[in-house]
Amino acid sequence: MPLSSPPPGNLSVNAVPPPRAVQIIKNLLDLEEEVPYPLTFDEAQQFLRSVLKISDINQRLKRNRLDFLNEYIHKFILYIPFSNIVHFAAKSVRSIEPPTLEKCKSDILGRLGGDCFRLNTFSKALLDLYGFTTYHVGGCNLTDTIYDSHCAIIVCDVSYPGSRHIVETGSVFPVSRAIPIDFKDQSPVYEFSNRKFKFVKGDHGVVWLCIQVKKPHKRRSSQLLEGVFRSEGMTWKLHLGYWTSVPRSRAYFLERTKYRFRFPSVIPYILEGAGLHARRDHGTNFLLASAGDTYFLKNTSDSENIVPKIMTEEEFLDFFAKEFPQYGW
């Protein structure tokens, strides 16, 4: 079932959902069997203090829960890489096993990172321990061949009763704050790490993460490619659609993950070549990747500079060992 693209000239057919609708959505989770996440409160507290360097946790939560949430997202993206490196301890793609929740937890606590499933299931479990009301939602982009290939989080009631925010700690592009989805058609423009983003509402409760395109490609002189649209004098590309009104359980995404690993050709870019998206303290995002005998480093904060730096294997391993000692390479 493909996601609906925003219709030209009218990017939404949805109204802001009333608080009662949000409560009904949350109640639906009670109908689905859930799998507990093996994270204790002590482990969560130690992770916040030692890994994310967040202090005075209780005071910050009492003062402003949204500010705490935004700091958590920012620090998580800074210290925990979005990566498929953890898959490559296996001898071959076919020998890669789906991760258990215990393995997902240990990868995050050890700063190894992982894909959206590892990162966002951990974040939801931690936020739940600190009293946030959350649920998972699925998503996918225009080119995905599997439904709900992406796992994300909705946090409820953090600004006011009935509010909903998209929380994304497991994505290629860093969305470094909680995004309120109470806008009517389009969100304000956000800028994270020198890239401009906005969110627009499509059909059936879909909220699209859109990235500004500086030089859009065209099929013909007068027609933009599918998924590219103009708004307020700028060109945007649909990147990822979230089914914000369809709550999904952790058990659901565990089954999706098993399917994805059983049939790796469904999303080949996850298991073909090692790739690691990370962020430096000053806000620069980069992709460090290998594909066969080719190694490269690419600044993903600069949409104009798309030419990667080609590296030798020795340069690649030296850079990796220096920037990411937690992997022990």
Side-chain angles (χ1 to χ4, degrees), residues 231-242:
S231 175
E232 299 178 359
M234 291 183 281
T235 305
W236 300 90
K237 180 180 179 181
L238 301 178
H239 171 66
L240 182 65
Y242 300 91

Side-chain angles (χ1 to χ4, degrees), residues 21-316:
V22 176
Q23 186 59 52
I24 291 172
I25 290 168
K26 288 186 287 185
N27 289 344
L28 288 175
L29 290 175
D30 296 334
L31 302 178
E32 236 178 323
E33 184 179 354
E34 186 56 294
V35 176
Y37 196 95
L39 181 69
T40 67
F41 184 81
D42 287 343
E43 288 173 328
Q45 188 174 63
Q46 181 70 14
F47 176 76
L48 290 173
R49 290 174 174 173
S50 300
V51 178
L52 300 193
K53 317 298 184 187
I54 298 177
S55 58
D56 301 324
I57 300 167
N58 291 333
Q59 291 87 339
R60 294 186 185 202
L61 284 166
K62 290 178 182 178
R63 188 162 56 242
N64 191 309
R65 293 177 69 81
L66 181 58
D67 284 351
F68 172 87
L69 180 60
N70 285 333
E71 182 178 9
Y72 172 81
I73 297 168
H74 171 76
K75 292 287 187 66
F76 191 98
I77 292 172
L78 181 61
Y79 290 113
I80 308 299
F82 179 81
S83 170
N84 65 352
I85 297 293
V86 291
H87 298 156
F88 288 87
K91 295 180 180 179
S92 69
V93 167
R94 292 191 177 278
S95 67
I96 296 174
E97 294 292 331
T100 63
L101 290 176
E102 188 67 43
K103 178 66 167 65
C104 291
K105 181 187 78 171
S106 67
D107 286 344
I108 307 305
L109 296 180
R111 293 188 60 197
L112 301 183
D115 56 12
C116 62
F117 175 77
R118 281 175 166 84
L119 304 181
N120 281 330
T121 53
F122 179 93
S123 287
K124 180 188 184 301
L126 184 144
L127 294 172
D128 288 346
L129 287 173
Y130 279 93
F132 288 88
T133 301
T134 70
Y135 62 90
H136 279 305
V137 294
C140 54
N141 60 44
L142 292 175
T143 60
D144 281 345
T145 58
I146 181 174
Y147 185 75
D148 280 352
S149 61
H150 184 70
C151 171
I153 309 167
I154 300 292
V155 175
C156 304
D157 306 327
V158 71
S159 294
Y160 56 85
S163 70
R164 291 189 297 164
H165 289 71
I166 293 173
V167 168
E168 185 63 272
T169 58
S171 174
V172 171
F173 293 105
V175 180
S176 302
R177 59 159 293 170
I179 304 298
I181 55 174
D182 57 0
F183 55 87
K184 184 180 179 182
D185 294 316
Q186 304 184 33
S187 76
V189 175
Y190 298 96
E191 185 167 341
F192 304 118
S193 301
N194 302 318
R195 296 293 296 268
K196 286 185 169 61
F197 300 84
K198 76 183 313 181
F199 292 77
V200 300
K201 289 186 176 178
D203 298 331
H204 313 299
V206 176
V207 174
W208 283 95
L209 165 61
C210 304
I211 304 166
Q212 185 188 14
V213 180
K214 296 291 183 69
K215 297 177 181 179
H217 298 287
K218 297 182 179 181
R219 289 176 179 162
R220 295 188 296 270
S221 59
S222 61
Q223 184 179 8
L224 294 174
L225 285 173
E226 181 183 3
V228 177
F229 65 96
R230 297 277 299 173
S231 175
E232 299 178 359
M234 291 183 281
T235 305
W236 300 90
K237 180 180 179 181
L238 301 178
H239 171 66
L240 182 65
Y242 300 91
W243 295 91
T244 60
S245 297
V246 184
R248 296 296 190 186
S249 67
R250 193 177 296 119
Y252 171 83
F253 280 110
L254 267 175
E255 289 302 313
R256 303 299 289 172
T257 299
K258 291 176 184 177
Y259 179 86
R260 191 182 71 193
F261 277 79
R262 193 174 300 124
F263 303 100
S265 61
V266 169
I267 314 179
Y269 56 82
I270 291 179
L271 298 177
E272 291 181 356
L276 184 146
H277 293 265
R279 187 180 188 189
R280 289 196 170 113
D281 287 340
H282 50 73
T284 301
N285 295 288
F286 63 89
L287 166 63
L288 181 69
S290 69
D293 296 328
T294 302
Y295 306 88
F296 63 90
L297 177 68
K298 179 180 177 181
N299 179 1
T300 55
S301 298
D302 186 356
S303 59
E304 296 290 338
N305 181 20
I306 60 174
V307 179
K309 175 186 176 183
I310 304 300
M311 310 170 79
T312 65
E313 181 177 2
E314 183 178 3
E315 289 172 332
F316 177 87

